[in-house]
Amino acid sequence: MPNQPSQEQIECLERTINEIDALQAIYGNEDSEEDETSSVCILSASELGAARSKIDGDDEMHNFTIPHLELQVKTSIDDGTIVNLKFSLPPGYPQEKAAVVSPSID
C-alpha cells in the first residue's frame, strides 16, 4: 500500500515551510550579500525542495514521506558576537513534535 501523508501531516509540513520562509525573510538567504551578520542556511535543501513541490501540487502525494528538515540561522547579538542556531524540524513539527535547537557562538 502506498505511503500517503494524512491531511494533518500535510498541514504541519505547510506550516513548517511557511516558518522557514519567514525566517529567510527576516534573516536573509545565505547567498544574499546584503547583510553578512545574519542569514539562513538550509541544511536539507533537497528535502525542502521536494516538500515544496508536494505542497505546491507539482508532484502527487502518494509514496511521499514527510521529511526531517534542518536549517541554520546566523545572527549577531549586541556586542557583535555571531550566534548560530541550528534548527532540526522533525516530521509532525509544529503540531506533534517540537523543534530541536542547538546554539553555537563564533
Side-chain angles (χ1 to χ4, degrees), residues 8-99:
E8 184 175 314
Q9 291 171 318
I10 294 167
E11 288 171 5
C12 285
L13 178 59
E14 198 168 25
R15 286 178 57 191
T16 301
I17 291 171
N18 289 338
E19 286 186 24
I20 291 171
D21 290 344
L23 287 170
Q24 287 181 310
I26 293 166
Y27 294 102
N29 187 319
E30 80 171 331
D31 298 327
S32 173
E33 296 178 14
E34 290 179 20
D35 183 1
E36 295 179 11
T37 62
S38 69
S39 65
V40 174
C41 175
I42 306 300
L43 303 175
S44 56
S46 62
E47 293 87 348
L48 179 59
R52 282 187 195 280
S53 290
K54 298 294 183 182
I55 294 299
D56 292 343
D58 297 338
D59 294 325
E60 293 185 30
M61 283 286 183
H62 68 281
N63 290 329
F64 178 67
T65 302
I66 302 291
H68 185 108
L69 299 174
E70 293 185 318
L71 62 132
Q72 182 170 313
V73 174
K74 178 178 91 169
T75 190
S76 64
I77 54 178
D78 291 338
D79 68 358
T81 301
I82 302 295
V83 177
N84 292 296
L85 300 171
K86 181 179 176 186
F87 292 83
S88 180
L89 308 172
Y93 170 84
Q95 180 99 9
E96 299 168 8
K97 296 185 180 177

